């Protein structure tokens, strides 16, 4: 048996609208947003008495999705340290291929994003960087060079 695809990545957030705006500015499309009204979710995630709003964003014409969840109940837990560095255990970033890395960075700065380090070139293949957005979400950007 083989994996068919990676369906989505879940990010738990406090400010659902700000994070949606950030990913839409990056180029993703909002598929839907609203309360999760399925009691089976509690059994899947192992929490009781859950009240949450969710949003699903997708890459246009692509298979990748990001699911955002804002927990009203039980309250979300903040990781420590809040601005965790790249060597912190766990999922640290999501990488996106982009057409123009400088243009994307400029647009994301309007949503409070800032570079984690700097834009660097890997051989003659890519320009790469990490950007920290709202809620300290880190996205990697990769521009393939021609």
């Amino acid at each position: 048996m083989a994996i068919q695809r990676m369906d989505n990545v879940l990010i738990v957030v406090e400010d659902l609208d700000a994070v949606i705006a950030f990913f839409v500015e990056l180029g993703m499309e909002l598929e839907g947003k609203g309360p999760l009204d399925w009691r089976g979710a509690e059994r899947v995630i192992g929490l009781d008495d859950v009240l949450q709003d969710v949003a699903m964003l997708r890459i246009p014409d692509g298979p990748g999705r990001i699911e955002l969840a804002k927990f009203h109940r039980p309250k979300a837990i903040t990781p420590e340290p809040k601005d965790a560095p790249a060597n912190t255990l766990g999922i640290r970033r999501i990488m996106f291929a982009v057409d123009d890395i400088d243009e994307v960075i400029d647009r994301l700065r309007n949503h409070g994003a800032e570079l984690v380090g700097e834009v660097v070139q890997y051989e003659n293949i890519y320009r790469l960087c990490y950007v920290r957005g709202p809620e300290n979400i880190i996205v990697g950007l990769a521009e393939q060079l021609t």
Side-chain angles (χ1 to χ4, degrees), residues 30-91:
L30 180 64
E31 280 189 336
K33 174 187 165 191
L36 181 61
D37 195 19
W38 179 53
R39 296 286 60 137
E42 293 177 340
R43 296 192 319 268
V44 171
I45 65 175
L47 294 172
D48 294 323
D49 197 28
V50 172
L51 178 62
Q52 65 177 314
D53 291 323
V54 296
M56 188 67 77
L57 297 118
R58 68 179 173 85
I59 296 172
D61 302 322
R65 288 186 172 86
I66 292 177
E67 180 179 354
L68 304 174
K70 175 179 175 48
F71 280 82
H72 301 285
R73 193 176 60 229
K75 185 170 173 40
I77 298 168
T78 303
E80 295 295 332
K82 188 173 182 180
D83 293 335
N87 64 337
T88 303
L89 295 173
I91 296 174

Side-chain angles (χ1 to χ4, degrees), residues 92-107:
R92 297 308 316 140
R93 60 111 175 110
I94 303 168
M95 180 71 78
F96 293 95
V98 298
D99 293 328
D100 182 338
I101 201 167
D102 297 313
E103 186 263 338
V104 172
I105 292 167
D106 287 342
R107 287 195 345 252

Side-chain angles (χ1 to χ4, degrees), residues 18-28 57 66 94-98 100-116 119 129-135 137-142:
V19 178
I20 290 170
F22 175 79
F23 281 110
V24 167
E25 187 66 49
L26 182 61
M28 298 191 80
L57 297 118
I66 292 177
I94 303 168
M95 180 71 78
F96 293 95
V98 298
D100 182 338
I101 201 167
D102 297 313
E103 186 263 338
V104 172
I105 292 167
D106 287 342
R107 287 195 345 252
L108 294 179
R109 282 188 170 132
N110 293 326
H111 295 271
E114 55 189 45
L115 284 172
V116 172
V119 178
C129 71
Y130 281 7
V131 176
R132 188 182 302 273
E135 312 247 349
I137 296 168
I138 297 175
V139 296
L141 303 176

